[in-house]
Each structure stands twice: as structure tokens, then as C-alpha cells.
Amino acid sequence: MYFLEPNDAFPDVALADDEGLLAFGGELTTQRLLDAYRKGIFPWFEDDQPVLWWSPDPRFVLYPSELKVSKSMKQFMRNCALEVTVNRDFRAVITECALAKRDGQAGTWITSDMIEAYVRLHELGYAKSVEVYNGDLLVGGLYGVDLGRGVFCGESMFSKQSNASKAAFISFIQNTNYKLIDCQVYTNHLASLGAKKIPRDLFLSYL
């Protein structure tokens, strides 16, 4: 694992350890984040840790053509009164993702510094949010990074109502033309929607 001074370049991702941890240190500047995503690297750390940079192998991704939507979910999306929007309230979505309680996690990796860093990316057009509203209430959503290369790098999602985050994810994929959705690391939730592991080298070829 490598320590990054503010102006240091990232080491080759092949030097990441078995869990995908590549480096620590550096700052969450816009340029650092853009450089990271272009090289298949993402930050993931907690409040009491330095910035940790990851590039796991294999990589967990979803090909939009392989999206799996169950019959019950299709019926839910046809009949529910939820409204799905894009980039309506990025800050609210990332803040709700930070506040969401998750099994097996005592805290969140979405620190206040992370929120401000990704809001800056959003303001520059590099980060997107998907919102799910029930009336005027924000009940679900997700956010991620889009470098304009046909790959959406998903970061986090939240749900305050059953199926709200699934509705956000499915609707977003069905109404965009991405060639690949980067899900980063394995979760049962995303695996049920068709995400799978691919070699890191193959993932990098899409960037």
C-alpha cells in the first residue's frame, strides 16, 4: 500500500493488495477524484481514517443488457405512484446515503468531506443523482460518477420505502444508454439485479 503526497500520481493498480486497497493519503480534490475514476480507482474510508483508495480485482459490474427485473418488481413499477428524477437534488441524495444505516457497518464512508467533494463533481457535470419521490417526500435514490465514456460508476444508494432504491436503479438503467455500470464490490442486492464479477483488466478496458 502506497502513501500519497498531495501531488503524487497513483501507483499502478496492479500493485493493489488482495482486497483491492492500493494507496492512502492525498486529498479529495476534483482533479484527484477525476484521475482516480479514469484509472479504475475509488475512495472508500471512514471518518477516523485517512483517505483510502481502492481498485479491486475482480470488479463487480452490471451490463445494462443483462439487467434482471423480477415480475413482482415490474408490477410494482407499473402500479406505484413513485416519481423518478435525475439530478433534481444531488446534495439531498448523497446526504441521505450518508445517513442510511447499513447491516454490518457502524458508521459511514460518506464523510462531510466526501459530500462536499462529490457535490463539486456534480456542479462540474461529472456526478449524477437519481431521486425517487413519493409525493413531495424523497424516499430513495442513488448517486455516482459519469466521466462521459459510457461507464457510470455507482457510489451509493438509499431507500426509505420498500423497493425505492431498486426503482431508482432500474429506471436509471432503462432510460440511459450506458455500456457498463460499475458497482465496485459485491452485494447480494445488486447481484439479484444481474451484476457480476469481471477481471479488473477487462473493466479498465472500458475506461
Side-chain angles (χ1 to χ4, degrees):
M1 183 170 60
Y2 291 77
F3 174 71
L4 296 175
E5 296 286 357
N7 295 319
D8 286 348
F10 283 110
D12 191 300
V13 295
L15 298 173
D17 68 16
D18 290 343
E19 293 184 344
L21 184 57
L22 176 66
F24 69 98
E27 299 176 342
L28 294 171
T29 63
T30 297
Q31 191 54 51
R32 172 70 79 182
L33 286 168
L34 291 177
D35 186 43
Y37 282 97
R38 287 167 180 155
K39 294 177 178 176
I41 301 165
F42 59 89
W44 187 20
F45 62 101
E46 296 181 3
D47 250 336
D48 59 349
Q49 295 176 321
V51 182
L52 302 178
W53 301 95
W54 302 78
S55 184
D57 186 15
R59 192 77 163 216
F60 195 52
V61 305
L62 184 139
Y63 290 96
S65 62
E66 298 179 4
L67 176 67
K68 297 177 181 177
V69 185
S70 67
K71 290 182 179 179
S72 61
M73 191 63 198
K74 289 178 181 177
Q75 184 176 18
F76 171 81
M77 294 183 70
R78 281 196 304 268
N79 299 329
C80 73
L82 300 179
E83 178 189 7
V84 180
T85 63
V86 175
N87 288 338
R88 181 167 165 180
D89 197 338
F90 184 91
R91 183 179 288 275
V93 169
I94 191 172
T95 300
E96 290 290 354
C97 287
L99 295 172
K101 296 187 182 300
R102 305 177 194 276
D103 292 341
Q105 293 180 358
T108 179
W109 70 95
I110 308 172
T111 64
S112 58
D113 286 344
M114 287 274 277
I115 290 174
E116 296 308 317
Y118 282 83
V119 167
R120 288 195 297 271
L121 284 183
H122 171 67
E123 291 170 345
L124 293 170
Y126 292 111
K128 290 182 177 179
S129 62
V130 182
E131 303 85 16
V132 180
Y133 290 93
N134 187 341
D136 293 330
L137 297 177
L138 181 64
V139 296
L142 62 89
Y143 77 95
V145 174
D146 180 355
L147 299 176
R149 302 179 182 183
V151 177
F152 182 77
C153 301
E155 279 297 316
S156 187
M157 60 178 63
F158 79 97
S159 186
K160 291 184 170 182
Q161 179 176 318
S162 179
N163 289 325
S165 61
K166 275 190 177 182
F169 189 74
I170 292 167
S171 178
F172 182 62
I173 292 174
Q174 291 180 335
N175 290 282
T176 53
N177 58 354
Y178 291 104
K179 61 186 178 184
L180 190 71
I181 307 297
D182 174 27
C183 304
Q184 299 179 345
V185 295
Y186 181 90
T187 68
N188 290 331
H189 175 65
L190 292 173
S192 71
L193 292 169
K196 64 183 182 182
K197 295 178 181 179
I198 64 171
R200 180 173 56 207
D201 286 347
L202 177 57
F203 170 72
L204 294 176
S205 72
Y206 288 102
L207 303 178

